[in-house]
Amino acid sequence: MLKSLKLLAIAALAAWVPLTASAQNGPLRLEITEGVIEPLPFALPQFIAENGAATDVAADITRVIAADLRGTGLFRQIPQDAYISSVTNFSSPVQYADWQAINAQALITGSVESRGDGTIVVRFRLFDVYSEAPLGEGLQFSGSVESWRRMAHTVADQVYERITGETGYFDTRVVFIHEEGPKNARLKRLAIMDYDGANVQFLTDSRSLVLAPRFSPQGDRIIYTSYESGTPRVYLMDVATVTSRPLEAIAAGNMTFSPRFSPDGTQVVFSLEDGGNTDIYLLDLATGTRTRLTSAPSIETAPSFSPDGSRIVFESDRSGTQQIYVMNASGGEATRISQGTGRYGTPVWSPRGDYIAFTKQEGGRFHIGVMRTNGSEERLLTSSFLDEGPTWAPNGRVIMFTRETAGANGAPAVYSVDISGRNLQRVATPGMASDPAWSPLLR
């Protein structure tokens, strides 16, 4: 029996409460560009435990904040043994000269209080060391002690946003396929985790093959492909209750796959095979109305909406090889946008609307790449034996994907890379993992 997953019940965080009447914004700003940058050095003294019961959780929160920021490749943590000043009181004035002496550009301070009712209160401040001023307001929030990790991610999101000007992506989850067993008899289960690989929970058992999970725009539902009926069919899962059902409006006798939500979550676009022909269809979840969007003897699949819902990008072999096309969300004439050599597939529109990520196969290698929505400025971010299936962070700055190693013992793993091609790293998962899909920000 699967345990009920309480995605949103890990203590809904209380509203942000300003600790100061006004914010004084200093000039500290880290510009994210496509070039090589020098990581910004920051100091993060361990958050103060306001009482004994908060000691361990204060240390845990500090550790996760640091890992979030370091993991972006944009920030460099100054070791605590280099600190001249110590922070023992959250309200004490900052000794800026001491932090300037160790070349810290940003200083993060905080405190944690544990209350008898099982809740904790977290406070934090961010300082621009060289301007000798707070960078934004100090904030306070509370939640259950079990939600401490979300609180840490939320603090890191605030720091990231104030310094870069971009929305953070740490308080998010990733749904993926957990794999086990030999390569020729691999068992696959739907699983969900924090963006950094923590708090893994299984959503299905391994009795039926599952593929291509995708979050709804609200993060409350997951759509995926399952072979539970013997043929691939699209299923819809409620995340809070971990209950799923096939989309009955899609004819049960046909193979359906590659589903994805519309930006408002009211529709699903997917591929349907009928009589040996595969086309793209649109399903209205409220009415069950199904609309055919493509009609060609070729294979059309892997559709993805633009953020404004006006267009759909997809892959097709109508030109003789696998390429990327864009059409209106209502269907009709499609325009090919992939113009390079090789084969292109699994296109996904960025949440920002500026890029399309894709998988490219060329010269015996697989790549994750991005291009502008008209096909220009193609840039390959990775190269390996098998890289495929990109998914965007909600801020459109980082991409996760599957990388599989070669040979009889080849195994898949989840990796991430930023859109400049920097900071390639493996995401920690319990065993083999593939086909990640990023959630929106949980808050």
Side-chain angles (χ1 to χ4, degrees):
M1 177 76 68
L2 288 169
K3 292 184 178 180
S4 175
L5 175 66
K6 297 180 180 177
L7 175 65
L8 301 178
I10 48 176
L13 297 180
W16 292 106
V17 178
L19 292 179
T20 59
S22 62
Q24 180 181 358
N25 290 323
L28 179 62
R29 177 56 61 90
L30 178 62
E31 297 291 339
I32 301 177
T33 67
E34 295 176 5
V36 176
I37 69 165
E38 180 67 25
L40 185 145
F42 70 95
L44 176 60
Q46 181 162 307
F47 275 28
I48 298 162
E50 298 287 1
N51 49 21
T55 301
D56 289 342
V57 72
D60 288 337
I61 288 174
T62 308
R63 172 178 53 81
V64 170
I65 294 169
D68 284 346
L69 296 175
R70 291 195 312 266
T72 66
L74 302 174
F75 300 89
R76 175 176 61 84
Q77 184 179 14
I78 297 174
Q80 293 194 8
D81 58 12
Y83 297 174
I84 298 171
S85 282
S86 60
V87 179
T88 57
N89 188 312
F90 182 72
S91 301
S92 295
V94 173
Q95 304 301 312
Y96 288 106
D98 291 346
W99 302 106
Q100 292 167 359
I102 61 173
N103 296 317
Q105 293 187 33
L107 170 66
I108 306 162
T109 66
S111 68
V112 182
E113 177 189 357
S114 179
R115 294 179 173 172
D117 60 357
T119 64
I120 56 174
V121 178
V122 177
R123 298 184 293 171
F124 95 97
R125 286 192 174 105
L126 174 64
F127 299 92
D128 180 340
V129 172
Y130 285 95
S131 292
E132 299 189 0
L135 190 61
E137 294 180 334
L139 295 174
Q140 172 178 306
F141 52 100
S142 63
S144 73
V145 68
E146 291 82 8
S147 67
W148 69 265
R149 180 175 283 273
R150 280 201 60 193
M151 295 184 183
H153 290 322
T154 308
V155 171
D157 278 333
Q158 286 287 314
V159 173
Y160 180 95
E161 182 171 345
R162 294 180 187 191
I163 294 178
T164 68
E166 304 277 354
T167 303
Y169 57 89
F170 309 120
D171 188 21
T172 57
R173 306 209 80 186
V174 173
V175 62
F176 67 101
I177 303 298
H178 170 80
E179 303 191 21
E180 56 187 0
K183 194 170 185 178
N184 61 351
R186 195 69 51 82
L187 299 177
K188 300 187 178 187
R189 304 173 65 183
L190 209 60
I192 195 170
M193 63 183 179
D194 293 354
Y195 97 100
D196 57 1
N199 293 328
V200 174
Q201 294 172 287
F202 294 108
L203 306 179
T204 65
D205 56 34
S206 57
R207 290 178 295 179
S208 302
L209 182 67
V210 288
L211 303 168
R214 304 290 181 256
F215 270 107
S216 68
Q218 298 76 27
D220 59 343
R221 293 168 295 166
I222 294 169
I223 198 163
Y224 63 100
T225 301
S226 173
Y227 281 72
E228 183 176 333
S229 66
T231 58
R233 291 186 66 189
V234 173
Y235 281 69
L236 184 66
M237 175 179 286
D238 179 272
V239 176
T241 63
V242 199
T243 56
S244 61
R245 62 176 177 85
L247 293 184
E248 296 295 348
I250 302 175
N254 299 106
M255 291 193 297
T256 56
F257 48 94
S258 294
R260 197 176 291 270
F261 284 97
S262 63
D264 63 4
T266 64
Q267 297 175 308
V268 170
V269 65
F270 62 97
S271 291
L272 183 149
E273 186 276 334
D274 187 11
N277 190 51
T278 301
D279 279 296
I280 294 173
Y281 289 75
L282 186 68
L283 178 71
D284 186 294
L285 292 173
T287 66
T289 302
R290 191 178 73 190
T291 305
R292 185 172 183 171
L293 302 182
T294 65
S295 182
S298 49
I299 297 174
E300 275 71 46
T301 189
S304 171
F305 276 96
S306 62
D308 64 3
S310 66
R311 292 179 290 169
I312 292 173
V313 63
F314 64 99
E315 67 176 71
S316 171
D317 62 358
R318 61 181 65 184
S319 66
T321 60
Q322 189 179 8
Q323 300 294 332
I324 297 176
Y325 292 79
V326 172
M327 65 180 174
N328 290 332
S330 58
E333 191 69 24
T335 301
R336 175 175 164 178
I337 63 169
S338 55
Q339 302 298 332
T341 58
R343 301 171 62 187
Y344 295 77
T346 65
V348 188
W349 221 299
S350 164
R352 300 165 64 97
D354 52 352
Y355 285 105
I356 290 170
F358 57 87
T359 301
K360 182 174 183 176
Q361 182 182 6
E362 183 181 25
R365 304 283 287 178
F366 280 78
H367 311 268
I368 300 298
V370 294
M371 63 174 69
R372 293 292 184 180
T373 59
N374 62 1
S376 64
E377 300 181 29
E378 178 181 318
R379 182 168 65 248
L380 300 181
L381 310 179
T382 74
S383 178
S384 82
F385 166 74
L386 180 58
D387 287 351
E388 62 179 353
T391 181
W392 290 94
N395 71 349
R397 288 298 186 183
V398 181
I399 292 171
M400 277 189 190
F401 62 95
T402 302
R403 169 168 288 184
E404 185 163 346
T405 53
N409 296 319
V414 174
Y415 279 75
S416 68
V417 66
D418 69 29
I419 60 170
S420 69
R422 299 172 56 257
N423 202 35
L424 176 70
Q425 55 185 313
R426 183 170 178 172
V427 179
T429 57
M432 296 179 288
S434 63
D435 213 348
W438 224 312
S439 79
L441 278 172
L442 298 182
R443 66 175 186 271

